[in-house]
Amino acid sequence: MDGGVTVVTNPIVSVRLTRTISSFEVPLRFNRGISIAELKRKLEMVVGASSSSMDLELFSVSDKFLQKMDDDDALLGSYPVDDNCRIHVTDTSGQMNEFTDVSKVEKYELPDDVYGKRTDSARSFMKKHRVGHFNEEEMAKKKAELAAHEEEQKAAADAISVGSRCKVQVVGHPTKLGTVMYVGTTDFKPGYWVGVKYDEPLGKHDGTVNGKQYFECENKYGGFVKPLSVSVGDFPEEDFGLDEM
């Protein structure tokens, strides 16, 4: 015995899997000795997409973006994969969306006047029992709550200035740092929105939505969030190249 220390790494790692079309996390276990190409093949039945159209991204236990897993020949264990890390799958072919996009399904719609005369319909039941939008008091209360919430969003927007450093926290998503590029209303959705240029490529666009440019940044670095999800403060940009010159 030479008194040295032997480090034993568990060959099996437990990870959390997420997909573009779902915020649900799926716990899975893999051998660190498989290649990324083999990992993608194993994920085909889980995510419903071809391995050739998968992009994998690795996030830490605290959901901080670490790196892309884009070398199919590399071993899973060659990446900094620890138990409870998260692997996010993006389907570049759009196949996964085909199975969830109900707009592509042909529908039969009963004429409104015919449906209104039926006594066995959901509308008839709701009218009789004053449910949903047929309950005027409840609808008025909900309308007031929405108005109050929108006032909160407006007040939060008024306190945010373009050019400020910020932290974005949205339920179900990792915390992101960035710079405020736009504050105000938009054409794509009602209410007040904050356009952010993220420090990392964790956004959805380059500042342009539905053909209208609200601000400029590199593609995948831009995003819009509600003002109450944005905290303005002294959040310095992280140096992701500390090991490089």
Side-chain angles (χ1 to χ4, degrees):
M1 185 172 180
D2 58 8
V5 177
T6 301
V7 178
V8 178
T9 301
N10 189 338
I12 303 299
V13 63
S14 299
V15 301
R16 296 171 293 133
L17 184 76
T18 55
R19 298 172 289 168
T20 305
I21 63 170
S22 172
S23 59
F24 292 105
E25 296 183 352
V26 180
L28 296 170
R29 289 160 55 87
F30 297 105
N31 192 307
R32 298 176 191 268
I34 65 173
S35 67
I36 297 302
E38 187 176 352
L39 172 64
K40 288 180 178 180
R41 287 194 292 271
K42 290 178 179 292
L43 292 176
E44 285 184 334
M45 294 299 293
V46 179
V47 302
S50 169
S51 60
S52 61
S53 63
M54 288 185 197
D55 280 348
L56 305 184
E57 293 178 323
L58 179 62
F59 291 80
S60 68
V61 174
S62 59
D63 282 327
K64 176 181 173 60
F65 174 75
L66 297 178
Q67 66 185 101
K68 290 182 177 293
M69 306 174 77
D70 50 9
D71 184 353
D72 285 350
D73 296 325
L75 297 181
L76 176 61
S78 67
Y79 289 91
V81 182
D82 295 319
D83 282 337
N84 209 35
C85 275
R86 181 165 66 90
I87 296 177
H88 184 75
V89 183
T90 300
D91 176 24
T92 58
S93 73
Q95 283 183 344
M96 287 193 289
N97 292 328
E98 289 183 3
F99 297 108
T100 58
D101 188 357
V102 295
S103 67
K104 297 181 179 180
V105 180
E106 186 176 351
K107 308 175 187 66
Y108 170 73
E109 295 186 4
L110 196 67
D112 189 69
D113 58 336
V114 176
Y115 182 71
K117 294 176 182 178
R118 296 185 60 161
T119 58
D120 59 346
S121 66
R123 181 187 297 176
S124 175
F125 176 87
M126 292 170 72
K127 280 183 177 180
K128 182 178 180 180
H129 296 279
R130 299 175 63 83
V131 177
H133 62 273
F134 295 104
N135 186 332
E136 294 181 5
E137 182 180 343
E138 183 66 22
M139 289 302 295
K141 180 181 177 182
K142 287 185 177 181
K143 188 175 180 179
E145 289 176 352
L146 286 173
H149 185 66
E150 192 56 34
E151 280 300 314
E152 289 184 48
Q153 295 284 8
K154 183 180 185 302
D158 289 341
I160 300 173
S161 301
V162 171
S164 300
R165 292 288 298 163
C166 67
K167 176 170 65 176
V168 175
Q169 294 175 297
V170 178
V171 177
H173 296 270
T175 298
K176 307 173 188 177
L177 298 181
T179 302
V180 177
M181 302 294 288
Y182 177 90
V183 181
T185 57
T186 66
D187 291 342
F188 57 83
K189 277 188 178 180
Y192 290 84
W193 293 85
V194 179
V196 179
K197 178 179 74 175
Y198 296 118
D199 293 347
E200 303 174 71
L202 301 176
K204 296 184 177 180
H205 48 69
D206 60 359
T208 298
V209 180
N210 294 340
K212 180 173 180 177
Q213 185 181 64
Y214 294 91
F215 60 91
E216 291 184 30
C217 68
E218 293 183 53
N219 192 29
K220 299 299 183 182
Y221 278 79
F224 277 93
V225 291
K226 298 301 289 181
L228 288 174
S229 299
V230 178
S231 300
V232 173
D234 183 17
F235 302 110
E237 292 190 44
E238 297 186 45
D239 186 353
F240 297 101
L242 293 177
D243 297 329
E244 299 179 2
M245 293 296 291

